[in-house]
Amino acid sequence: MEKTEKRTVLHMFDPMPHTSPFDINMAVDAGFEAIFPYDNVKLEQVNGLVQDTIFSRGPAGVKRTGIFIGGRDLGLALNMLEAAKNAMVPPFEVSVLADPSGAFTTAAALVACVERQLKDKHGGELKGAHAVVYGGTGPVGLATGIIASLAGAEVTIVDPFNIDTALEKAKEYNARCGSKLIGTYASSDADKARLIAHADLVFCTAKAGVQVLNSDVLGDAKQLKVAGDVNAVPPLGIEGVKRLHNGDPLIHAINAPGAVGIGALAVGDVKYKLQNALLAYLLTAEKPVFLDFREAFERARGLNLI
Ligand SMILES: NC(=O)c1ccc[n+]([C@@H]2O[C@H](COP(=O)([O-])OP(=O)(O)OC[C@H]3O[C@@H](n4cnc5c(N)ncnc54)[C@H](OP(=O)(O)O)[C@@H]3O)[C@@H](O)[C@H]2O)c1
């Protein structure tokens, strides 16, 4: 009798009360045939779950098995990824992707889109550019700041309410990832304007449905070149930047000629392709791979972003 190929399986470990339906849909679209969410997973349970995953399917089966790590906490997801890697027993190893809150793929897509517009419209590069991340202490904002900083930008992450939160997060992730984030806060339009005045790049990664930068604040931008927003829920994050904008003029930045904007659906399109490609790669990589924001950004840079 002809032997059939084993079905593809994705185990999704999530420290939150439920696994994100967004990520489950993404796993289906990436071609996984059987998908199993595990909720409320604790860091110390990862070792056991991984070893239960790897030993039952034989060498051919592990190649058709992947693990996804979700949640909303970047540090915890990175710890879980590390714990998963350490739990492997070669040759029983499977590939693992961490993308908590979609933050790694969203941030990678956002920074890659901004980098592309910076190059195309201004002949610039991330290295040495002054970047401000509004909403910079949330998952997407932190990942955005880390990726841009590691690419050479001088990045300030902005908390909307609390300087201590911004300083603590910057310190924690700089120590962990080798970035050079600066933390600050901006609760008023005057605070936001003070920061935008010296920004070449703006990343808007605040919570959904909040307008962070209005036309008055944008009027204070003097050297702004590219602004990217990931909020797809009205009101959008940056006044005048529409969801499908992709290098369109930033009409309210009247003192920053040539500044352009990128909207949430333009970023979302790249994020979708990126997450799809990374999930599919779990099954096609020659050797087991352990993927986080680093691989996500490298891939995003290589995608056709037009
Ligand atoms: N386009 C895409 O493909 C895509 C994919 C995924 C996510 N997203 C979007 O990305 C954004 C960030 O996601 P997330 O999960 O990181 O969001 P989040 O955790 O809900 O919020 C991000 C940050 O926004 C801050 N914030 C809250 N109220 C604010 C205000 N009034 N002004 C400025 N900042 C404020 C939060 O501060 P506190 O923690 O103090 O509240 C937090 O630091 C969301 O808009 C989400 O919908 C887009």
Side-chain angles (χ1 to χ4, degrees), residues 20 38 86 133 164 166 189 192 217 226 247-248 276 287 289:
S20 152
Y38 303 75
N86 291 337
V133 189
D164 291 335
D189 280 356
K192 294 174 194 173
V217 173
V226 188
D248 299 63
N276 184 281
K287 290 184 185 160
V289 288

Side-chain angles (χ1 to χ4, degrees), residues 22 72 101-103 106 134-141 158-161 165 186 192 204-212 229-233 263-265 267-269 271-272:
F22 185 105
R72 280 192 51 78
S101 208
T106 304
Y134 294 94
T137 52
V140 175
V158 185
D159 190 85
F161 313 112
T165 303
K192 294 174 194 173
C204 191
T205 59
K207 83 170 181 187
V210 173
Q211 184 185 81
V212 180
D229 180 26
V230 287
N231 166 24
V233 180
L265 296 187
V267 175
D269 182 53
K271 180 237 168 37
Y272 177 88

